[in-house]
Amino acid sequence: MTPNLEGLLVRLHKGCEQHQIAPRDSMRRLISLWPGYGKGSLRTSQVRQRFTVDDFHRAAKFDKDLLKLLRILGLAQT
């Protein structure tokens, strides 16, 4: 997981899994995909409503750090 939360959130959107976004561009791109997103105000419930485990699995195919995190949490696909 590249240490850029907004970049990760962009990649969780279907069709954006392979997008490697510079940190300076990630917020603008994320807001275009998720107009209600607000930096510093993200709650777990918002993530659950917006994304599924399948979204994380799909993005993890292109993000080795995210895949590692999913494995640690016992959520990786076998």
Side-chain angles (χ1 to χ4, degrees), residues 14-34:
K14 192 168 188 147
C16 298
E17 302 84 5
Q18 297 184 56
H19 294 186
Q20 294 303 318
I21 300 163
R24 69 181 179 278
D25 300 326
S26 59
M27 181 61 106
R28 179 183 49 79
R29 178 70 175 126
L30 179 58
I31 289 178
S32 73
L33 294 166
W34 189 358

Side-chain angles (χ1 to χ4, degrees), residues 2-3 5-6 9-10 16 24 31 33-34 38 45 47-49 53 63 72-74:
T2 304
L5 177 60
E6 286 76 21
L9 294 173
V10 167
C16 298
R24 69 181 179 278
I31 289 178
L33 294 166
W34 189 358
S45 61
V47 174
R48 276 193 310 236
Q49 290 171 359
V53 173
D63 185 330
I72 290 168
L73 296 173

Side-chain angles (χ1 to χ4, degrees), residues 67-76:
L67 179 58
K68 182 178 178 180
L69 176 61
L70 293 178
R71 285 183 177 142
I72 290 168
L73 296 173
L75 298 173

Side-chain angles (χ1 to χ4, degrees), residues 28-70:
R28 179 183 49 79
R29 178 70 175 126
L30 179 58
I31 289 178
S32 73
L33 294 166
W34 189 358
Y37 176 79
K39 187 170 184 79
S41 65
L42 185 63
R43 293 184 304 277
T44 304
S45 61
Q46 292 171 294
V47 174
R48 276 193 310 236
Q49 290 171 359
R50 184 87 183 175
F51 304 108
T52 66
V53 173
D54 288 339
D55 295 323
F56 283 86
H57 289 160
R58 194 178 55 253
K61 292 177 184 177
F62 305 98
D63 185 330
K64 63 180 174 58
D65 293 328
L66 178 57
L67 179 58
K68 182 178 178 180
L69 176 61
L70 293 178

